[in-house]
Amino acid sequence: MPVESGSSASSRQAKQKRKSHSLSIRRTNSTEQERTGLQREMLEGQDSKLPLSLRSNLLDLFGQIEREFENLYIENIELRREIETLNDRLTAEGQTIDGGDLTKGALKAKASHSTSQLSQKLKTTYKASTSKIVSSFKATTSRAVCQLVKEYVGHRDGIWDLSVTRTQPMVLGTASADHSAMLWSIETGKCLLKYLGHAGSGVFEASISAMSTASGDQTAHIWRYMVQLPTPQPQTPWDGDGPNECPSIRVSSTTLRSHQGVVIAADWLVGGKQVVTASWDRAANLYDVETSELVHSLTGHDQELTHCCTHPTQRLVVTSSRDTTFRLWDFRDPSIHSVNVFQGHTDTVTSAVFTVGDNVVSGSDDRTVKVWDLKNMRSPIATIRTDSAVNRISVSVNQRIIALPHDNRQVRLFDMSGVRLARLPRSNRQGHRRMVCCSAWCEDNSSCNLFSCGFDRQAIGWNINIPALLQEK
């Protein structure tokens, strides 16, 4: 008479358990509608000052929460039963083959590893499911007013970066993959000046004091400009295309050469006498503008750099990299140049920017934005989790609002504690139609105080009004 092995018997028991459990699940699903109907009847019978539609909406939301936790509970039970069955089978096989304590220890190690993986999976599932429900509550509390004011159209390829002058006259600068950089009138949307001095593949940065541009031709250019802002006038059909008629220059006043790869970013150090550049050669260079000499080469990143930013009032530089870190370089003491490494992201750090104070905000392709205290580098003081990769962020000076441009064409606004304030409107008629690459604040302008640009070849000026109540903790 054939004898059934231990492994086959255990597997048969597991199948029977799963079968009986699946029957219980079907019974639960069949009674779900009845339970919901009873809850609605009880809700209608209770006295409340809330409108019936709002109460019904709340009931639906709480029902979603209950179903999510019920599904997680059922999945947890099934996984635990499978783990117990697997452990029983492995234990039986281990005793048959070796029968020693060493094998039992190895099996326990495997079981604990499987349990840890299960725990991590449950945590990830729980966070992903509940975050959607919580975000639905947050969206209903926003009263921020976000209006599209002006579109700046004229580039022939995607716009990588944009910035606004820090002094008068106040103009908007854009840098594009079409090998050009443009200066725009913020009020009229007309192109004032076009720079065509780069020979490489695309201009990647436009930082304005004098104008500095970084390019794929492994150089950074500094060029002087003088523009006269036009008076805003009503648009007429015979005004022309605007951007095609703007004057252009092709010769820079200074060319900075030292990098061995694409120069992806540039920014002015406080004082306006030095410029820092970031490159795909894994280094950032600090130049003297008057002499074009290389002052310092900032090395240490393990992969290509993605961005660099300077502090508005102090001699501090922060560089971001594809090695998942960003570094803080301190030039306040001429004799000592210290560097601090911030580790907290799991993917490319696309940008890191200073705020007014002792904070740094970093964005990453891991879909998170983190707020750091310069006095404590070990862990961020706030973390913002999103549903898409984050590109070059910006922080407003007065209201301390973070603008997040995303790969999924969205631009979201958060405060420094990680609370979402608003999402810029996007539809077929307005907003970006492709990836949003960069954002820049300009709170000194009354009409447009936020700008964004993207691969749809346009920059957009927004008027953002955030009530004080939304920013209070």
Side-chain angles (χ1 to χ4, degrees):
M1 185 174 181
V3 179
E4 187 176 19
S5 64
S7 60
S8 61
S10 61
S11 62
R12 186 182 64 184
Q13 292 176 359
K15 291 180 179 178
Q16 291 177 352
K17 289 180 180 179
R18 287 197 295 268
K19 182 177 180 181
S20 61
H21 188 64
S22 64
L23 292 175
S24 65
I25 294 174
R26 283 195 291 270
R27 287 196 296 269
T28 303
N29 294 333
S30 64
T31 58
E32 182 177 350
Q33 297 179 353
E34 298 177 0
R35 181 177 58 190
T36 304
L38 292 175
Q39 289 177 347
R40 289 187 180 277
E41 292 178 0
M42 293 175 61
L43 183 66
E44 294 176 356
Q46 296 176 356
D47 294 333
S48 176
K49 296 182 179 180
L50 295 175
L52 182 60
S53 60
L54 179 59
R55 296 171 65 191
S56 177
N57 188 23
L58 289 174
L59 179 61
D60 293 336
L61 291 174
F62 286 125
Q64 293 178 20
I65 296 175
E66 183 180 1
R67 286 193 293 273
E68 291 289 342
F69 279 103
E70 184 177 2
N71 293 333
L72 288 175
Y73 177 74
I74 293 172
E75 183 181 0
N76 190 9
I77 293 176
E78 290 180 346
L79 291 174
R80 288 186 179 277
R81 286 179 177 176
E82 292 181 1
I83 289 176
E84 291 175 358
T85 302
L86 178 62
N87 289 337
D88 293 340
R89 185 175 64 187
L90 291 176
T91 302
E93 292 177 355
Q95 290 175 350
T96 303
I97 297 173
D98 296 329
D101 294 336
L102 181 62
T103 305
K104 292 181 180 179
L107 291 173
K108 288 182 179 179
K110 290 182 179 178
S112 63
H113 180 66
S114 301
T115 305
S116 65
Q117 288 181 339
L118 170 64
S119 176
Q120 184 64 32
K121 181 179 180 181
L122 289 175
K123 288 179 180 179
T124 304
T125 306
Y126 169 76
K127 288 180 180 179
S129 59
T130 55
S131 62
K132 294 180 180 180
I133 302 173
V134 174
S135 63
S136 65
F137 285 104
K138 288 184 178 180
T140 59
T141 61
S142 176
R143 295 294 183 272
V145 179
C146 307
Q147 295 180 341
L148 188 152
V149 178
K150 187 70 65 175
E151 294 180 344
Y152 306 87
V153 180
H155 281 292
R156 293 177 288 104
D157 207 337
I159 303 176
W160 287 99
D161 195 85
L162 83 170
S163 57
V164 183
T165 52
R166 301 168 186 172
T167 58
Q168 297 294 336
M170 193 168 293
V171 296
L172 173 69
T174 57
S176 171
D178 62 6
H179 303 189
S180 72
M182 288 185 178
L183 297 182
W184 306 83
S185 168
I186 295 177
E187 303 297 336
T188 64
K190 297 291 186 180
C191 176
L192 304 175
L193 187 65
K194 180 186 295 186
Y195 180 68
L196 302 171
H198 284 287
S201 57
V203 181
F204 295 108
E205 177 81 12
S207 300
I208 304 178
S209 174
M211 191 74 176
S212 65
T213 53
S215 172
D217 59 11
Q218 304 183 5
T219 67
H221 291 182
I222 297 174
W223 43 284
R224 306 289 176 178
Y225 67 90
M226 183 178 295
V227 295
Q228 183 176 0
L229 298 181
T231 303
Q233 296 179 354
Q235 192 80 11
T236 57
W238 53 86
D239 281 343
D241 296 333
N244 296 327
E245 301 174 353
C246 69
S248 62
I249 59 176
R250 297 179 178 270
V251 180
S252 63
S253 59
T254 304
T255 301
L256 307 177
R257 311 175 188 271
S258 288
H259 286 293
Q260 303 301 316
V262 171
V263 184
I264 194 68
D267 202 2
W268 292 82
L269 208 62
V270 60
K273 296 182 179 180
Q274 292 179 325
V275 169
V276 61
T277 59
S279 172
W280 285 0
D281 62 6
R282 306 183 183 182
N285 290 342
L286 183 64
Y287 295 93
D288 183 273
V289 175
E290 293 183 0
T291 62
S292 303
E293 293 182 357
L294 177 64
V295 180
H296 294 290
S297 183
L298 313 179
T299 59
H301 283 289
D302 296 330
Q303 295 189 40
E304 296 90 340
L305 271 64
T306 58
H307 190 248
C308 66
C309 180
T310 60
H311 195 280
T313 59
Q314 303 183 58
R315 291 178 60 83
L316 297 173
V317 177
V318 62
T319 56
S320 311
S321 173
R322 293 184 61 187
D323 61 9
T324 73
T325 69
F326 66 94
R327 296 179 177 234
L328 174 66
W329 310 83
D330 191 347
F331 296 99
R332 289 176 292 186
D333 189 345
S335 60
I336 303 175
H337 302 143
S338 62
V339 57
N340 295 316
V341 182
F342 289 74
Q343 297 177 335
H345 290 286
T346 59
D347 206 337
T348 297
V349 181
T350 54
S351 64
V353 298
F354 290 101
T355 66
V356 177
D358 294 329
N359 295 121
V360 172
V361 183
S362 60
S364 172
D365 281 342
D366 64 7
R367 303 181 180 184
T368 65
V369 173
K370 297 179 184 290
V371 181
W372 306 79
D373 188 350
L374 294 180
K375 300 176 182 178
N376 181 15
M377 304 178 299
R378 296 182 179 179
S379 60
I381 59 178
T383 299
I384 302 171
R385 292 181 172 85
T386 67
D387 58 353
S388 179
V390 182
N391 296 311
R392 294 187 176 182
I393 60 178
S394 63
V395 183
S396 63
V397 176
N398 298 330
Q399 296 180 310
R400 292 168 63 84
I401 300 174
I402 312 170
L404 278 58
H406 290 286
D407 278 359
N408 64 358
R409 303 173 291 175
Q410 303 286 356
V411 179
R412 295 185 175 92
L413 306 181
F414 288 81
D415 65 11
M416 294 292 289
S417 62
V419 177
R420 196 182 85 173
L421 302 177
R423 176 176 62 86
L424 300 191
R426 189 186 67 81
S427 64
N428 294 331
R429 296 184 178 181
Q430 65 175 351
H432 288 287
R433 296 182 293 276
R434 293 188 180 180
M435 179 180 76
V436 188
C437 300
C438 181
S439 63
W441 288 92
C442 179
E443 294 175 290
D444 295 332
N445 188 273
S446 58
S447 60
C448 301
N449 55 5
L450 177 63
F451 299 90
S452 60
C453 65
F455 270 11
D456 54 2
R457 306 181 183 182
Q458 68 173 343
I460 298 179
W462 306 86
N463 183 271
I464 310 298
N465 184 11
I466 305 292
L469 291 176
L470 289 181
Q471 301 177 59
E472 294 178 357
K473 305 297 183 287

